Amino acid sequence: VAFNGDIGWVYLIVQPAEVEEQARHALVLFAEVRLLDHDGQEVLQEEGPLVQHLQAELMQTRGRLQTIIEEYETQHEELKAANEELQSINEEYKSATEELETSKEELQSVNEELQTVNSELKNKVEEISHAHTDLENLLASTEIATLFLDRALRIRRFTPNATALFHLRQSDEGRAIDEVKARMDFDGFAEEARQVLRTLEMVEREVVDESERRYLVRMRPYRSPDDKIDGVVLTFIDITERKRVEQALQRALSYAESVIGTIREPLLVLDATLRVQTINAAFCEAFAVRSEEVQGAFIYELGNGQWDIAELRRLLNEILPQDHRMTDFEVTHRFEGLGWRTMLLNARQLEEHQLILLAIEDVTERQVAQMALEASERRYRLLVEAVEEYAIFLLDEAGRVRSWNEGASRLLGYNEQEILGEPFEIIFTEEDRAADVPEQEREQARLTGQVADERWQVRKGGLRFWASGILTALPEENGTPGGFVQILRDNTRRRTSEADLQASEQEVRALTEGLEERVEQRTKQVRRLASALVMAEQRERRRISAILHDHLQQLLFGAQMQVSFLNKDLPEALRKETDAIIQTLREAIDVTRTLTVDLSPPVLKGEGLDDALQWLAHQMQSLYNLKVEVKASGFHVVQDEDLRVLLFQLLRELLFNVVKHAGVLEARVELAQTDAHLRISVVDAGAGFDVARALTLSEEDGHFGLARIRERLALFDGKLEIESTPGEGTRATLSVPLRAT
């Protein structure tokens, strides 16, 4: 063939190509061959060995090519099958891509919803954070140091006031309580905290910090929302002022006991059950007893029953409860070892302390002296009638002695010659003569007929004596003045006895009045302190109630509304959790509403007590299913707010006792006002109890707390009367004096 004008050799090879298509194909191969001579020139020649060799190689190459073609066809078939599979997979991928696009759109929609929910939840978290801050401020405002410990006694949280008692910083959360240094005697607290975890019972004790302030420490189990014990809560309540008041009262009591001990009259202090609480040294000395022998004894059992006197029983059981005091109540009785004694009893009932002060004045000796004096007077009267013990003078108009009797001689010490014709003024004291008393008395006798006197006179030798005299003017006889009759009686001994007796009475009266005044002052002081304590407690209740109502309750209600709005748009999976949150918020609102009303009932703001009791009856019915009937005659007004608050609190405690201990669902409250006293009774037909034993138990012991009620009532001059028999019901009566309107 010609290649660009040159002639060359070309090997042409043609062979069929097998493919799956119906049309036939052929494979054509061209191989150019050029021959060179010795000079390098291309030559043309016939087929020789080289050509044959090349042809042989060509045949081998064809064979290899055929094999390659077959392999190629095989691979082509495989690639074709693989292509079909890839097309199928591609279609599946396309379908999956479409589904993914749809899912992406759905996920984007869900993501937008979740972003909305997340934003709302973020707002809720902020609101809950604000509520948490309010609760922390509430804890801080109560000024009660509080520590929250986990089960391993590691610090979980603490209030700011706790830093005044412990060396605490915010980074101390998670530290064991044993590793924290306290500013007080904190030994044994960790063991007590473990005891609380073991027994689930509250532990209470008092501690003193470095600044000598006293705290009441209470340890209670920390309960989680699912009622699991998850640690311990420690509260430190500052009771320094309360301790100071108690110490002041104790000092006042010691002062009163010292006063009682120094009184020279026998003195007894009895409690409401007429048992001896205190006796003074004068009583021990007068009745030959020791203080420890009679301490706590029933008064009627003293001295083998020798004090079981009918007059004494009438005084203590009948007269004193009505009049509250008795003066100079005379009792005559024969005492073993002492004989017949006459005593004047002075009693006073101290209702604010449920005590009776009984002073005993032994007037036996004085009565004997009085009887002796009366006998002496009777004898003198007989002597006067016999003209033996009276000095009788007959005086002229000028007051000179005209005659006298033997009694005058014995009384004055003068003989007849020494006194006759002498002025009667010689027996007058210098003071009386200087004041011209004799002439004045004679002038008065002329006008009135008779003049009585009682004063000091003078015997011969200048000795004074106390004499009572009567100067009588005699009638004129035949126009001549009759003169005077002077009768004297020596009463020196009686005067001295009366003066001594009067001085003794004045001294006793001064001591008694001083003691009563001090007791009254202390009583008023205790009453003011009790009123201040009641009102301080009520103000704190109102403040906490206002915080719960105006802040916490509003926040909880707002949170409940917002979660309710959010709940409508949430998926079903999340709605259960939000429903639980709504239920928890609803329960929290109910609890805060109940606490708000219980802490400061609105009905206490008025002066009427009837409305408050009706409200309390409704509360007991709704909360405890206790039906309370209120029976009142008229409308009862209690002007003193502190007394009104106290009565309401005590009545609520008595009704709580019915719920906890009586075992019945009905009770009755009776109101009655007599004179200046208000009596309120709580009556039930329940289990009853032993009154004497219950009064010795406290509310912290898990019992009635009646002793605490009686003590608080006594601070307002009131008293608690309890009538109860096991199995026959109980009547508890509060009696308090009311302020005059």
Side-chain angles (χ1 to χ4, degrees):
V1 293
F3 293 95
N4 297 324
D6 296 327
I7 300 300
W9 290 91
V10 175
Y11 287 97
L12 177 63
I13 301 170
V14 179
Q15 64 181 18
E18 296 181 2
V19 295
E20 293 180 354
E21 297 178 0
Q22 295 180 357
R24 294 177 62 104
H25 292 77
L27 178 62
V28 181
L29 299 176
F30 297 91
E32 182 180 0
V33 180
R34 293 187 180 184
L35 298 178
L36 300 177
D37 56 12
H38 296 288
D39 297 329
Q41 297 295 323
E42 183 178 358
V43 295
L44 298 175
Q45 63 182 4
E46 296 293 335
E47 295 182 356
L50 179 59
V51 173
Q52 293 178 356
H53 176 71
L54 292 174
Q55 288 180 347
E57 290 181 355
L58 180 61
M59 292 302 293
Q60 292 177 358
T61 302
R62 286 180 180 176
R64 288 197 295 271
L65 180 60
Q66 182 66 33
T67 303
I68 291 172
I69 291 172
E70 292 175 356
E71 292 177 355
Y72 167 75
E73 290 177 353
T74 302
Q75 291 178 355
H76 184 269
E77 293 295 333
E78 293 176 354
L79 289 174
K80 187 176 181 180
N83 185 40
E84 292 177 355
E85 292 179 359
L86 288 174
Q87 289 180 354
S88 176
I89 292 173
N90 187 29
E91 292 177 357
E92 292 178 358
Y93 281 164
K94 291 177 66 176
S95 176
T97 301
E98 293 176 356
E99 293 179 357
L100 289 174
E101 289 290 338
T102 304
S103 300
K104 180 180 179 181
E105 294 176 357
E106 293 177 355
L107 287 175
Q108 186 174 2
S109 176
V110 172
N111 187 34
E112 292 176 355
E113 294 178 357
L114 288 176
Q115 288 180 353
T116 303
V117 172
N118 186 36
S119 177
E120 295 179 355
L121 288 178
K122 182 179 180 181
N123 294 332
K124 299 306 175 185
V125 169
E126 291 178 354
E127 293 176 0
I128 293 174
S129 177
H130 289 311
H132 178 70
T133 303
D134 292 339
L135 287 176
E136 288 186 345
N137 290 326
L138 172 62
L139 290 174
S141 64
T142 57
E143 297 183 354
I144 298 177
T146 307
L147 281 177
F148 298 89
L149 308 179
D150 59 15
R151 294 188 62 87
L153 302 185
R154 291 187 297 267
I155 297 175
R156 176 181 292 167
R157 187 177 303 143
F158 56 87
T159 60
N161 291 330
T163 58
L165 303 176
F166 296 89
H167 295 276
L168 288 174
R169 293 179 297 181
Q170 199 66 33
S171 59
D172 290 330
E173 293 183 359
R175 289 181 61 189
I177 190 63
D178 293 336
E179 300 175 0
V180 179
K181 184 178 180 181
R183 294 187 172 97
M184 65 183 73
D185 182 11
F186 204 66
D187 295 338
F189 271 66
E191 182 59 32
E192 292 178 355
R194 295 185 182 94
Q195 178 183 348
V196 171
L197 291 175
R198 289 194 302 271
T199 63
L200 302 183
E201 295 180 354
M202 183 186 72
V203 173
E204 185 175 282
R205 63 182 288 191
E206 293 184 9
V207 297
V208 181
D209 66 1
E210 297 173 349
S211 59
E212 299 300 327
R213 299 193 68 82
R214 304 187 70 89
Y215 292 87
L216 179 63
V217 183
R218 290 177 177 169
M219 299 186 188
R220 291 186 174 91
Y222 181 94
R223 297 183 182 273
S224 63
D226 53 356
D227 200 24
K228 291 183 179 179
I229 305 303
D230 198 21
V232 181
V233 180
L234 283 73
T235 57
F236 299 81
I237 303 173
D238 192 343
I239 59 172
T240 306
E241 295 302 325
R242 189 182 76 182
K243 283 295 182 181
R244 289 176 181 172
V245 172
E246 291 177 356
Q247 292 173 0
L249 292 177
Q250 185 63 34
R251 287 194 297 270
L253 179 60
S254 300
Y255 176 76
E257 291 177 350
S258 300
V259 172
I260 290 172
T262 56
I263 294 177
R264 292 185 296 176
E265 294 180 354
L267 193 66
L268 282 171
V269 179
L270 308 177
D271 61 11
T273 61
L274 302 182
R275 294 189 177 275
V276 178
Q277 297 296 309
T278 306
I279 63 173
N280 65 350
F283 184 90
C284 297
E285 182 180 354
F287 296 97
V289 296
R290 291 184 298 177
S291 176
E292 56 271 16
E293 293 177 353
V294 299
Q295 192 76 23
F298 194 44
I299 186 171
Y300 302 133
E301 298 175 356
L302 295 179
N304 297 325
Q306 62 181 348
W307 283 84
D308 191 1
I309 306 171
E311 292 87 348
L312 183 60
R313 282 185 175 271
R314 187 165 70 89
L315 168 65
L316 297 177
N317 298 334
E318 299 178 11
I319 300 176
L320 193 59
Q322 296 179 0
D323 300 336
H324 303 297
R325 65 170 61 192
M326 177 56 62
T327 304
D328 294 340
F329 186 84
E330 185 174 327
V331 174
T332 302
H333 185 71
R334 180 180 178 84
F335 290 90
E336 183 179 352
L338 298 177
W340 286 97
R341 311 299 293 178
T342 300
M343 299 174 294
L344 293 181
L345 304 182
N346 296 289
R348 180 188 177 103
Q349 188 172 18
L350 307 177
E351 295 188 8
E352 65 275 11
H353 300 294
Q354 294 290 307
L355 297 176
I356 297 174
L357 190 64
L358 181 62
I360 304 171
E361 181 182 1
D362 189 348
V363 296
T364 306
E365 301 299 333
R366 189 174 69 185
Q367 193 174 53
V368 170
Q370 184 69 24
M371 294 172 62
L373 181 60
E374 292 176 357
S376 176
E377 289 180 351
R378 286 195 297 271
R379 288 195 300 270
Y380 283 141
R381 188 176 298 112
L382 293 175
L383 292 174
V384 168
E385 291 175 356
V387 196
E388 293 181 0
E389 288 297 324
Y390 280 82
I392 303 175
F393 301 87
L394 181 61
L395 308 178
D396 62 10
E397 182 66 18
R400 291 185 294 269
V401 178
R402 288 162 43 182
S403 66
W404 66 344
N405 68 343
E406 289 296 323
S409 179
R410 291 194 299 271
L411 177 63
L412 301 178
Y414 293 98
N415 57 37
E416 188 174 0
Q417 289 74 20
E418 291 175 335
I419 196 67
L420 290 178
E422 294 293 326
F424 188 69
E425 286 82 350
I426 64 174
I427 71 169
F428 279 75
T429 64
E430 293 180 0
E431 295 83 1
D432 291 340
R433 289 197 296 269
D436 201 18
V437 172
E439 183 60 31
Q440 293 176 5
E441 288 182 350
R442 288 195 294 271
E443 185 62 25
Q444 187 176 357
R446 292 188 188 97
L447 297 175
T448 61
Q450 191 176 79
V451 176
D453 66 88
E454 191 171 17
R455 61 173 172 263
W456 292 101
Q457 305 285 6
V458 181
R459 292 189 177 96
K460 179 182 177 181
L463 180 65
R464 291 191 176 195
F465 67 96
W466 182 266
S468 58
I470 298 176
L471 180 64
T472 303
L474 296 176
E476 296 181 353
E477 294 181 0
N478 300 323
T480 302
F484 304 91
V485 174
Q486 178 76 54
I487 303 175
L488 293 178
R489 185 177 62 182
D490 188 355
N491 291 331
T492 306
R493 291 183 179 178
R494 181 176 65 84
R495 171 65 179 176
T496 304
S497 299
E498 289 179 352
D500 294 341
L501 180 60
Q502 185 176 4
S504 177
E505 289 178 348
Q506 290 177 352
E507 183 180 358
V508 171
R509 189 178 299 108
L511 287 174
T512 304
E513 292 176 355
L515 178 60
E516 291 179 352
E517 183 179 357
R518 294 191 192 97
V519 171
E520 186 175 357
Q521 291 176 354
R522 292 299 181 184
T523 301
K524 292 180 180 179
Q525 183 180 7
V526 172
R527 175 66 169 84
R528 288 194 298 270
L529 290 175
S531 176
L533 287 174
V534 171
M535 294 311 299
E537 179 184 356
Q538 185 63 16
R539 285 193 297 271
E540 187 66 17
R541 284 172 172 266
R542 288 176 179 172
R543 187 177 69 84
I544 296 176
S545 176
I547 293 174
L548 291 175
H549 181 271
D550 298 339
H551 298 285
L552 183 58
Q553 187 173 343
Q554 303 303 323
L555 292 173
L556 292 174
F557 185 75
Q560 179 190 4
M561 294 295 295
Q562 293 180 7
V563 175
S564 299
F565 293 147
L566 174 63
N567 193 27
K568 297 178 181 179
D569 300 328
L570 288 177
E572 186 67 27
L574 297 176
R575 194 170 296 171
K576 292 183 179 180
E577 298 182 3
T578 55
D579 287 343
I581 295 175
I582 293 174
Q583 181 63 27
T584 302
L585 291 173
R586 186 178 294 113
E587 293 175 357
I589 291 173
D590 293 339
V591 170
T592 54
R593 184 180 294 115
T594 303
L595 286 175
T596 301
V597 176
D598 287 345
L599 286 171
S600 180
V603 294
L604 288 180
K605 297 181 179 178
E607 295 182 352
L609 192 60
D610 305 71
D611 294 339
L613 293 183
Q614 292 290 348
W615 181 89
L616 180 59
H618 180 267
Q619 286 292 102
M620 300 303 293
Q621 174 76 32
S622 61
L623 295 177
Y624 305 104
N625 199 26
L626 178 67
K627 182 179 180 182
V628 180
E629 178 186 3
V630 179
K631 298 180 65 178
S633 57
F635 185 74
H636 301 83
V637 175
V638 180
Q639 293 183 344
D640 296 332
E641 184 179 3
D642 53 353
L643 181 59
R644 184 168 63 254
V645 171
L646 177 67
L647 289 175
F648 182 84
Q649 293 176 353
L650 297 185
L651 286 173
R652 182 162 57 181
E653 290 187 23
L654 290 176
L655 290 175
F656 283 157
N657 283 341
V658 174
V659 173
K660 292 187 290 185
H661 305 291
V664 294
L665 297 177
E666 293 184 358
R668 185 171 71 255
V669 178
E670 301 175 353
L671 281 80
Q673 187 170 346
T674 59
D675 297 333
H677 282 73
L678 178 65
R679 293 175 61 87
I680 308 176
S681 299
V682 177
V683 185
D684 67 80
F689 56 90
D690 185 354
V691 177
R693 180 175 180 272
L695 288 175
T696 61
L697 300 175
S698 63
E699 190 174 3
E700 287 74 9
D701 296 326
H703 296 279
F704 302 88
L706 297 177
R708 177 172 174 269
I709 295 177
R710 184 177 63 180
E711 292 172 359
R712 296 184 65 187
L713 197 61
L715 296 176
F716 288 79
D717 296 336
K719 60 182 180 179
L720 173 64
E721 300 174 357
I722 303 176
E723 301 175 7
S724 181
T725 303
E728 298 182 7
T730 303
R731 172 184 288 270
T733 302
L734 309 178
S735 177
V736 293
L738 297 177
R739 188 179 66 183
T741 57

